[in-house]
Amino acid sequence: PFKDSDKELNLGYKKGSIWIRLKITPSTDQSVAQAKPASETVIIRVGPHDLNTIELYEFDAGKWHRQVAGDLLPPKETICTDDYYCFLLKGQVAQPQTIYVRIESPGFLTINTDAVLLTDLARVSNDRIRRTYSALTVAVGILILGLFLLARYRSRLTHIYCWFQVSIFLYLVAIY
C-alpha cells in the first residue's frame, strides 16, 4: 500500500525494500508553461546521501527503464552538486507520468524526493548547499560561544550546554 506524502517521507525503521510511487504532472500555471517548453528534461532528486541502493523505474516507449544509484555503488557521473542522487528521466513530461522508486537501506528512513527541470537544477542544488553551510556555520558559532562560556564560568550548566552543542554539530555533520 502506498501512503500519500509530499517532498519528505518519514518511514522510521523499515526492513527490506521500500517502494515509492512518484506522480509527476506538468505545471498548470500558464506563466510557467509559457516560459518553459513542455519538452524540457526533468530530473528526479532523491536523498539523503546515505541510502544504500536506489532504483528508479520509468515507463517510456512501451518498456520499463531502470536506473540505479546509491551509497554502496561506485559513483558514476553526477549531475547534482549537492548530497542528493539525481536521475535524468528518459521521457518528456508533457503528460502526467508515474515513476516507481525502490530503496534498500537499513536504519531510520527519511526520504526526500523532488522533480525539477534541468534548467532549475543548479539553483535548487545551490540552495541546498547554502542551507547546509548556513546550518553548520550557526552550529559552530553557538559551539564556540558555549566554549567561551565554559572557560569563563565553569558550571555544570555550561558543561551540559557545550555537550549539547557538540551533539548538534556532530548530528549536522553526519546528515550532511
Side-chain angles (χ1 to χ4, degrees):
F2 291 97
K3 297 178 184 177
D4 287 337
S5 176
D6 186 30
K7 298 265 186 193
E8 182 175 284
L9 178 63
N10 294 309
L11 296 173
Y13 289 98
K14 296 284 184 183
K15 189 175 183 178
S17 297
I18 304 297
W19 284 90
I20 300 171
R21 180 177 55 208
L22 301 175
K23 294 180 180 179
I24 301 172
T25 56
S27 177
T28 56
D29 184 9
Q30 290 301 323
S31 61
V32 174
Q34 290 173 354
K36 307 276 183 187
S39 63
E40 191 166 4
T41 305
V42 175
I43 307 292
I44 301 295
R45 295 168 30 91
V46 180
H49 62 89
D50 60 350
L51 297 172
N52 288 353
T53 306
I54 306 166
E55 297 175 3
L56 183 125
Y57 294 91
E58 173 189 11
F59 192 75
D60 182 47
K63 59 183 173 179
W64 286 98
H65 299 277
R66 176 179 170 249
Q67 298 180 47
V68 181
D71 198 29
L72 295 181
L73 302 172
K76 294 189 237 176
E77 63 179 65
T78 180
I79 54 176
C80 280
T81 56
D82 58 356
D83 59 342
Y84 275 35
Y85 295 102
C86 289
F87 299 93
L88 184 70
L89 292 186
K90 299 195 181 303
Q92 305 300 326
V93 184
Q95 306 278 348
Q97 185 176 4
T98 301
I99 294 170
Y100 293 94
V101 179
R102 179 179 168 260
I103 296 176
E104 283 271 346
S105 193
F108 191 82
L109 288 177
T110 299
I111 300 163
N112 297 308
T113 57
D114 202 6
V116 297
L117 296 174
L118 185 59
T119 55
D120 296 334
L121 182 62
R123 180 187 51 80
V124 171
S125 293
N126 287 337
D127 288 347
R128 177 155 171 82
I129 291 170
R130 190 176 304 118
R131 281 193 314 267
T132 301
Y133 284 133
S134 297
L136 288 172
T137 302
V138 169
V140 167
I142 294 175
L143 178 59
I144 290 171
L145 174 67
L147 292 173
F148 170 76
L149 291 174
L150 183 64
R152 180 106 166 120
Y153 311 105
R154 291 198 170 263
S155 71
R156 187 175 295 190
L157 181 62
T158 55
H159 276 270
I160 293 170
Y161 176 79
C162 283
W163 283 112
F164 181 69
Q165 289 305 325
V166 166
S167 68
I168 289 174
F169 175 74
L170 292 176
Y171 172 75
L172 290 174
V173 168
I175 65 170
Y176 293 130

Coordinates of all heavy atoms in Angstrom, one line a residue, residues 36-108:
K36 N 8.6 28.0 -20.0 CA 9.3 26.7 -20.1 C 8.7 25.9 -21.2 O 7.5 25.6 -21.2 CB 9.3 25.9 -18.8 CG 9.8 26.7 -17.6 CD 11.2 26.7 -17.4 CE 11.6 27.5 -16.2 NZ 13.0 27.6 -16.0
P37 N 9.5 25.3 -22.1 CA 9.0 24.4 -23.1 C 8.5 23.1 -22.4 O 9.1 22.6 -21.5 CB 10.1 24.2 -24.0 CG 11.3 24.6 -23.3 CD 10.9 25.6 -22.3
A38 N 7.5 22.5 -23.0 CA 6.9 21.3 -22.4 C 7.9 20.1 -22.6 O 7.7 19.1 -21.9 CB 5.6 21.0 -23.0
S39 N 8.8 20.2 -23.5 CA 9.7 19.1 -23.8 C 11.0 19.2 -23.0 O 11.9 18.4 -23.3 CB 10.0 19.1 -25.3 OG 10.7 20.3 -25.7
E40 N 11.1 20.0 -22.0 CA 12.3 20.2 -21.3 C 12.5 18.9 -20.4 O 11.6 18.3 -19.9 CB 12.3 21.4 -20.4 CG 13.6 21.7 -19.8 CD 13.7 23.1 -19.3 OE1 12.7 23.8 -19.3 OE2 14.8 23.5 -18.8
T41 N 13.8 18.6 -20.2 CA 14.2 17.4 -19.4 C 13.9 17.6 -17.9 O 14.2 18.7 -17.4 CB 15.7 17.1 -19.6 OG1 15.9 17.0 -21.0 CG2 16.1 15.9 -19.0
V42 N 13.4 16.5 -17.3 CA 13.1 16.5 -15.9 C 14.1 15.7 -15.1 O 14.5 14.6 -15.6 CB 11.7 16.0 -15.6 CG1 11.3 15.9 -14.2 CG2 10.7 17.0 -16.3
I43 N 14.5 16.2 -14.0 CA 15.5 15.5 -13.1 C 14.7 15.1 -11.8 O 14.0 15.9 -11.2 CB 16.7 16.4 -12.7 CG1 17.3 16.9 -13.9 CG2 17.6 15.6 -11.8 CD1 18.1 15.9 -14.8
I44 N 14.8 13.8 -11.4 CA 14.3 13.4 -10.1 C 15.4 13.3 -9.1 O 16.5 12.7 -9.3 CB 13.7 11.9 -10.3 CG1 12.6 11.9 -11.3 CG2 13.2 11.5 -8.9 CD1 11.4 12.7 -11.0
R45 N 15.3 14.1 -8.0 CA 16.3 14.2 -7.0 C 15.8 13.3 -5.8 O 14.6 13.5 -5.4 CB 16.5 15.6 -6.5 CG 17.1 16.5 -7.6 CD 17.0 18.0 -7.2 NE 17.1 18.3 -5.9 CZ 18.2 18.6 -5.2 NH1 19.4 18.5 -5.8 NH2 18.2 18.9 -3.9
V46 N 16.6 12.4 -5.3 CA 16.3 11.5 -4.2 C 17.4 11.6 -3.1 O 18.6 11.6 -3.5 CB 16.1 10.1 -4.6 CG1 15.8 9.2 -3.4 CG2 15.1 9.9 -5.7
G47 N 17.0 11.8 -1.9 CA 18.0 11.9 -0.9 C 17.5 11.4 0.4 O 16.4 10.9 0.5
P48 N 18.3 11.3 1.4 CA 19.6 11.8 1.6 C 20.7 10.9 1.0 O 20.4 9.9 0.4 CB 19.8 11.9 3.1 CG 18.9 10.8 3.7 CD 17.8 10.7 2.7
H49 N 21.9 11.3 1.2 CA 23.1 10.7 0.6 C 23.4 9.3 1.1 O 24.1 8.6 0.4 CB 24.3 11.6 0.7 CG 24.7 11.7 2.2 ND1 25.5 10.9 2.8 CD2 24.4 12.7 3.1 CE1 25.7 11.2 4.1 NE2 25.0 12.3 4.3
D50 N 22.9 8.9 2.2 CA 23.3 7.6 2.8 C 22.3 6.5 2.5 O 22.3 5.5 3.2 CB 23.4 7.8 4.3 CG 22.1 8.3 5.0 OD1 21.2 8.6 4.3 OD2 22.0 8.2 6.2
L51 N 21.5 6.6 1.5 CA 20.7 5.5 1.0 C 21.6 4.5 0.3 O 22.3 4.8 -0.6 CB 19.6 6.0 0.1 CG 18.6 6.9 0.8 CD1 17.6 7.5 -0.2 CD2 17.8 6.3 1.9
N52 N 21.5 3.2 0.7 CA 22.4 2.2 0.1 C 22.1 2.0 -1.4 O 23.1 2.0 -2.2 CB 22.2 0.9 0.9 CG 22.8 0.9 2.2 OD1 23.5 1.9 2.6 ND2 22.6 -0.1 3.0
T53 N 20.9 1.6 -1.8 CA 20.6 1.4 -3.2 C 19.3 2.0 -3.5 O 18.3 1.9 -2.8 CB 20.5 -0.1 -3.4 OG1 21.7 -0.8 -3.0 CG2 20.3 -0.4 -4.9
I54 N 19.3 2.8 -4.6 CA 18.1 3.4 -5.1 C 17.9 3.0 -6.6 O 18.8 3.1 -7.4 CB 18.2 4.9 -5.1 CG1 18.6 5.4 -3.7 CG2 16.9 5.6 -5.6 CD1 19.0 6.9 -3.7
E55 N 16.7 2.4 -6.9 CA 16.4 2.0 -8.3 C 15.2 2.8 -8.7 O 14.2 2.8 -8.0 CB 16.1 0.5 -8.3 CG 17.2 -0.4 -8.0 CD 16.8 -1.8 -7.9 OE1 15.7 -2.2 -8.2 OE2 17.7 -2.7 -7.6
L56 N 15.3 3.5 -9.8 CA 14.2 4.3 -10.4 C 13.7 3.5 -11.6 O 14.5 3.2 -12.5 CB 14.7 5.7 -10.8 CG 13.6 6.6 -11.3 CD1 13.6 7.8 -10.5 CD2 13.9 6.9 -12.7
Y57 N 12.4 3.3 -11.7 CA 11.7 2.7 -12.8 C 10.8 3.6 -13.5 O 9.9 4.2 -12.9 CB 10.9 1.5 -12.3 CG 11.8 0.4 -11.7 CD1 12.1 0.3 -10.4 CD2 12.3 -0.6 -12.5 CE1 12.8 -0.7 -9.8 CE2 13.1 -1.6 -12.0 CZ 13.4 -1.6 -10.6 OH 14.1 -2.6 -10.1
E58 N 11.1 3.8 -14.8 CA 10.3 4.7 -15.6 C 9.8 4.0 -16.9 O 10.5 3.3 -17.5 CB 11.2 5.9 -16.1 CG 10.6 6.8 -17.1 CD 11.6 7.8 -17.6 OE1 12.8 7.6 -17.4 OE2 11.2 8.7 -18.3
F59 N 8.5 4.2 -17.2 CA 7.9 3.6 -18.3 C 7.9 4.6 -19.5 O 7.3 5.6 -19.4 CB 6.4 3.1 -18.0 CG 5.8 2.2 -19.1 CD1 6.2 0.9 -19.1 CD2 4.9 2.7 -20.0 CE1 5.7 0.1 -20.1 CE2 4.4 1.9 -20.9 CZ 4.7 0.6 -21.0
D60 N 8.6 4.2 -20.6 CA 8.8 5.1 -21.7 C 8.9 4.2 -23.0 O 9.6 3.2 -23.0 CB 10.0 6.0 -21.5 CG 10.1 7.0 -22.7 OD1 9.1 7.6 -23.0 OD2 11.2 7.1 -23.2
A61 N 8.2 4.7 -24.0 CA 8.2 4.0 -25.3 C 7.9 2.5 -25.2 O 8.5 1.7 -25.9 CB 9.6 4.2 -26.0
G62 N 6.9 2.2 -24.4 CA 6.4 0.8 -24.3 C 7.2 -0.1 -23.5 O 6.9 -1.3 -23.4
K63 N 8.3 0.3 -22.8 CA 9.0 -0.6 -21.9 C 9.5 0.2 -20.7 O 9.6 1.4 -20.6 CB 10.2 -1.2 -22.6 CG 11.2 -0.3 -23.2 CD 12.2 -1.1 -24.0 CE 13.1 -0.2 -24.7 NZ 14.2 -0.8 -25.5
W64 N 9.9 -0.6 -19.6 CA 10.4 -0.1 -18.4 C 11.9 0.2 -18.5 O 12.6 -0.7 -19.0 CB 10.1 -1.0 -17.2 CG 8.6 -1.0 -16.8 CD1 7.7 -1.9 -17.2 CD2 8.0 0.0 -16.0 NE1 6.5 -1.6 -16.7 CE2 6.6 -0.4 -15.9 CE3 8.4 1.1 -15.3 CZ2 5.7 0.3 -15.2 CZ3 7.5 1.8 -14.6 CH2 6.1 1.4 -14.5
H65 N 12.3 1.3 -18.0 CA 13.7 1.7 -18.0 C 14.1 1.8 -16.5 O 13.4 2.3 -15.7 CB 14.0 3.0 -18.6 CG 13.7 3.0 -20.1 ND1 14.5 2.5 -21.1 CD2 12.6 3.4 -20.7 CE1 13.9 2.6 -22.2 NE2 12.7 3.2 -22.1
R66 N 15.3 1.2 -16.2 CA 15.8 1.2 -14.8 C 17.1 1.9 -14.7 O 18.0 1.7 -15.5 CB 16.0 -0.3 -14.4 CG 16.5 -0.5 -13.0 CD 16.6 -2.0 -12.7 NE 17.4 -2.3 -11.5 CZ 18.6 -2.8 -11.5 NH1 19.2 -3.2 -12.6 NH2 19.2 -3.0 -10.4
Q67 N 17.2 2.8 -13.6 CA 18.4 3.5 -13.3 C 18.7 3.2 -11.9 O 17.8 3.1 -11.0 CB 18.2 5.0 -13.5 CG 17.9 5.4 -14.9 CD 17.8 6.9 -15.0 OE1 18.6 7.7 -14.5 NE2 16.7 7.3 -15.7
V68 N 20.0 3.0 -11.6 CA 20.4 2.6 -10.2 C 21.5 3.6 -9.7 O 22.4 4.0 -10.5 CB 21.0 1.2 -10.2 CG1 21.4 0.8 -8.8 CG2 20.0 0.2 -10.8
A69 N 21.4 3.9 -8.4 CA 22.4 4.8 -7.8 C 22.4 4.4 -6.3 O 21.6 3.6 -5.9 CB 22.1 6.2 -7.9
G70 N 23.3 4.9 -5.5 CA 23.3 4.7 -4.1 C 24.6 4.8 -3.5 O 25.7 4.9 -4.2
D71 N 24.6 4.7 -2.2 CA 25.9 4.8 -1.4 C 26.8 3.6 -1.6 O 28.0 3.7 -1.5 CB 25.5 5.0 0.1 CG 26.6 5.5 0.9 OD1 27.4 6.3 0.4 OD2 26.6 5.2 2.1
L72 N 26.2 2.4 -1.8 CA 27.0 1.2 -2.0 C 27.5 1.0 -3.4 O 28.3 0.0 -3.6 CB 26.2 0.0 -1.5 CG 25.9 0.0 0.0 CD1 25.1 -1.3 0.3 CD2 27.1 0.1 0.9
L73 N 27.1 1.8 -4.3 CA 27.5 1.6 -5.7 C 28.6 2.5 -6.1 O 28.7 3.6 -5.5 CB 26.3 1.8 -6.6 CG 25.1 0.9 -6.4 CD1 23.9 1.4 -7.2 CD2 25.4 -0.5 -6.7
P74 N 29.5 2.1 -7.0 CA 30.5 3.1 -7.4 C 29.9 4.3 -8.1 O 29.0 4.2 -8.8 CB 31.4 2.3 -8.4 CG 30.5 1.1 -8.8 CD 29.5 0.9 -7.7
P75 N 30.5 5.5 -7.7 CA 29.9 6.7 -8.2 C 30.1 6.8 -9.7 O 31.2 6.6 -10.3 CB 30.6 7.8 -7.5 CG 31.8 7.2 -7.0 CD 31.6 5.8 -6.8
K76 N 29.0 7.2 -10.4 CA 29.1 7.5 -11.8 C 29.1 9.0 -12.0 O 29.3 9.7 -11.0 CB 27.8 7.0 -12.5 CG 27.7 5.5 -12.5 CD 26.5 5.1 -13.4 CE 25.5 4.3 -12.7 NZ 24.3 4.0 -13.4
E77 N 29.0 9.4 -13.2 CA 28.9 10.9 -13.4 C 27.7 11.4 -12.7 O 26.7 10.8 -12.7 CB 28.8 11.2 -14.9 CG 27.6 10.7 -15.5 CD 27.5 11.1 -17.0 OE1 28.3 10.6 -17.8 OE2 26.6 11.9 -17.3
T78 N 27.9 12.5 -12.0 CA 26.8 13.1 -11.2 C 26.4 14.4 -11.8 O 27.2 15.2 -12.2 CB 27.2 13.2 -9.7 OG1 26.1 13.8 -9.0 CG2 28.5 14.1 -9.5
I79 N 25.1 14.6 -11.8 CA 24.6 15.9 -12.3 C 24.1 16.8 -11.2 O 23.8 17.9 -11.4 CB 23.5 15.7 -13.3 CG1 22.4 14.8 -12.8 CG2 24.0 15.1 -14.6 CD1 21.2 14.7 -13.7
C80 N 24.1 16.2 -10.0 CA 23.8 17.0 -8.8 C 25.1 17.4 -8.0 O 25.9 16.6 -7.8 CB 22.9 16.2 -7.8 SG 21.2 16.2 -8.3
T81 N 25.1 18.7 -7.6 CA 26.3 19.1 -6.9 C 26.1 19.0 -5.4 O 27.1 19.2 -4.7 CB 26.6 20.6 -7.3 OG1 25.5 21.4 -7.0 CG2 27.0 20.7 -8.8
D82 N 24.9 18.7 -5.0 CA 24.7 18.6 -3.5 C 24.7 17.1 -3.2 O 25.3 16.3 -3.9 CB 23.4 19.3 -3.1 CG 22.2 18.7 -3.8 OD1 22.4 17.9 -4.7 OD2 21.1 19.2 -3.5
D83 N 24.2 16.8 -2.0 CA 24.3 15.4 -1.5 C 23.1 14.5 -1.9 O 22.9 13.5 -1.3 CB 24.4 15.4 0.0 CG 23.3 16.1 0.7 OD1 22.5 16.9 0.1 OD2 23.1 15.9 1.9
Y84 N 22.4 14.9 -2.9 CA 21.3 14.1 -3.4 C 21.7 13.2 -4.6 O 22.7 13.5 -5.2 CB 20.1 15.0 -3.8 CG 19.2 15.4 -2.7 CD1 19.6 15.6 -1.4 CD2 17.8 15.5 -2.9 CE1 18.8 16.0 -0.4 CE2 17.0 15.9 -1.9 CZ 17.5 16.1 -0.7 OH 16.6 16.5 0.3
Y85 N 20.9 12.2 -4.9 CA 21.1 11.4 -6.1 C 20.1 11.9 -7.1 O 19.0 12.1 -6.8 CB 20.9 9.9 -5.8 CG 21.9 9.3 -4.8 CD1 21.5 9.1 -3.5 CD2 23.1 9.0 -5.3 CE1 22.5 8.6 -2.6 CE2 24.1 8.5 -4.4 CZ 23.7 8.3 -3.1 OH 24.6 7.8 -2.2
C86 N 20.6 12.1 -8.3 CA 19.8 12.6 -9.4 C 19.7 11.6 -10.5 O 20.6 11.0 -10.9 CB 20.4 13.9 -9.9 SG 20.3 15.3 -8.8
F87 N 18.4 11.5 -11.0 CA 18.1 10.7 -12.2 C 17.5 11.5 -13.3 O 16.6 12.2 -13.1 CB 17.1 9.6 -11.7 CG 17.6 8.7 -10.6 CD1 17.3 9.0 -9.3 CD2 18.3 7.6 -10.9 CE1 17.7 8.2 -8.3 CE2 18.7 6.7 -9.9 CZ 18.5 7.1 -8.5
L88 N 18.1 11.3 -14.5 CA 17.6 12.0 -15.6 C 16.5 11.2 -16.3 O 16.8 10.0 -16.6 CB 18.8 12.2 -16.6 CG 18.6 13.0 -17.9 CD1 18.4 14.4 -17.6 CD2 19.8 12.8 -18.8
L89 N 15.3 11.7 -16.4 CA 14.2 11.0 -17.0 C 14.4 10.9 -18.5 O 14.8 11.8 -19.1 CB 12.9 11.6 -16.7 CG 12.4 11.6 -15.2 CD1 11.0 12.1 -15.1 CD2 12.5 10.2 -14.7
K90 N 14.1 9.7 -19.0 CA 14.3 9.4 -20.5 C 13.2 10.1 -21.3 O 13.4 10.6 -22.3 CB 14.3 7.9 -20.7 CG 15.5 7.3 -20.0 CD 15.8 5.9 -20.6 CE 16.9 5.2 -19.9 NZ 18.1 5.9 -19.9
G91 N 11.9 10.0 -20.8 CA 10.8 10.6 -21.5 C 10.6 12.0 -21.1 O 11.1 12.5 -20.1
Q92 N 9.8 12.7 -21.9 CA 9.5 14.1 -21.6 C 8.2 14.1 -20.8 O 7.3 13.3 -21.1 CB 9.4 14.9 -22.9 CG 10.6 14.9 -23.8 CD 11.8 15.4 -23.1 OE1 11.8 16.3 -22.3 NE2 13.0 14.8 -23.4
V93 N 8.1 15.0 -19.9 CA 6.9 15.0 -19.0 C 5.9 16.1 -19.6 O 5.8 17.2 -19.0 CB 7.2 15.3 -17.6 CG1 6.0 15.2 -16.7 CG2 8.3 14.3 -17.1
A94 N 5.3 15.8 -20.7 CA 4.2 16.7 -21.2 C 2.9 16.2 -20.7 O 1.9 16.9 -20.7 CB 4.3 16.7 -22.7
Q95 N 2.8 14.9 -20.3 CA 1.6 14.3 -19.8 C 1.9 13.8 -18.4 O 3.1 13.7 -18.0 CB 1.3 13.0 -20.6 CG 1.1 13.2 -22.1 CD -0.2 13.8 -22.4 OE1 -1.1 13.8 -21.6 NE2 -0.4 14.3 -23.7
P96 N 0.9 13.6 -17.5 CA 1.2 13.1 -16.2 C 1.9 11.7 -16.3 O 1.6 10.9 -17.2 CB -0.2 13.0 -15.6 CG -1.1 14.0 -16.3 CD -0.5 14.0 -17.7
Q97 N 2.8 11.5 -15.4 CA 3.6 10.3 -15.5 C 3.8 9.7 -14.1 O 3.9 10.5 -13.1 CB 5.0 10.7 -16.1 CG 5.9 9.5 -16.4 CD 7.2 9.9 -17.1 OE1 7.4 11.1 -17.3 NE2 8.0 9.0 -17.4
T98 N 3.9 8.4 -14.0 CA 4.1 7.7 -12.7 C 5.4 7.0 -12.8 O 5.7 6.3 -13.7 CB 3.0 6.7 -12.4 OG1 1.7 7.4 -12.4 CG2 3.2 6.0 -11.1
I99 N 6.2 7.3 -11.8 CA 7.6 6.7 -11.7 C 7.7 5.9 -10.4 O 7.1 6.4 -9.3 CB 8.7 7.8 -11.7 CG1 8.6 8.4 -13.1 CG2 10.0 7.2 -11.4 CD1 9.4 9.7 -13.2
Y100 N 8.3 4.8 -10.4 CA 8.5 4.0 -9.1 C 9.9 4.0 -8.7 O 10.8 3.9 -9.5 CB 8.0 2.5 -9.4 CG 6.5 2.5 -9.6 CD1 6.0 2.5 -10.9 CD2 5.7 2.4 -8.5 CE1 4.7 2.4 -11.1 CE2 4.3 2.3 -8.8 CZ 3.8 2.4 -10.0 OH 2.5 2.3 -10.2
V101 N 10.1 4.1 -7.4 CA 11.5 4.2 -6.8 C 11.5 3.1 -5.8 O 10.7 3.0 -4.9 CB 11.8 5.5 -6.2 CG1 13.2 5.5 -5.6 CG2 11.7 6.6 -7.2
R102 N 12.6 2.2 -5.9 CA 12.8 1.1 -4.9 C 14.0 1.5 -4.1 O 15.1 1.7 -4.7 CB 12.9 -0.2 -5.6 CG 13.2 -1.4 -4.6 CD 13.3 -2.7 -5.5 NE 13.8 -3.7 -4.6 CZ 15.0 -4.1 -4.6 NH1 15.9 -3.6 -5.4 NH2 15.4 -5.1 -3.8
I103 N 13.9 1.5 -2.8 CA 15.0 1.9 -1.9 C 15.4 0.7 -1.0 O 14.5 0.2 -0.3 CB 14.7 3.2 -1.1 CG1 14.5 4.3 -2.1 CG2 15.8 3.5 -0.1 CD1 14.1 5.6 -1.5
E104 N 16.6 0.4 -0.9 CA 17.2 -0.6 0.0 C 18.1 0.1 0.9 O 19.2 0.6 0.5 CB 17.9 -1.7 -0.7 CG 17.1 -2.7 -1.4 CD 16.7 -3.9 -0.5 OE1 17.3 -4.1 0.6 OE2 15.8 -4.6 -0.9
S105 N 17.8 0.3 2.2 CA 18.7 0.9 3.1 C 18.2 0.6 4.5 O 17.1 0.9 4.9 CB 18.7 2.5 2.9 OG 19.7 3.1 3.6
P106 N 19.1 0.1 5.4 CA 18.8 -0.2 6.7 C 18.8 1.1 7.6 O 19.4 2.1 7.2 CB 19.8 -1.2 7.2 CG 21.0 -0.8 6.4 CD 20.5 -0.3 5.1
G107 N 18.1 1.0 8.7 CA 18.1 2.2 9.6 C 16.9 3.0 9.5 O 15.9 2.6 8.9
F108 N 17.0 4.2 10.0 CA 15.8 5.1 10.1 C 15.7 5.8 8.8 O 16.7 6.5 8.3 CB 16.1 6.1 11.2 CG 14.9 7.0 11.5 CD1 13.8 6.4 12.3 CD2 14.7 8.2 11.0 CE1 12.7 7.2 12.6 CE2 13.6 9.0 11.3 CZ 12.6 8.5 12.1

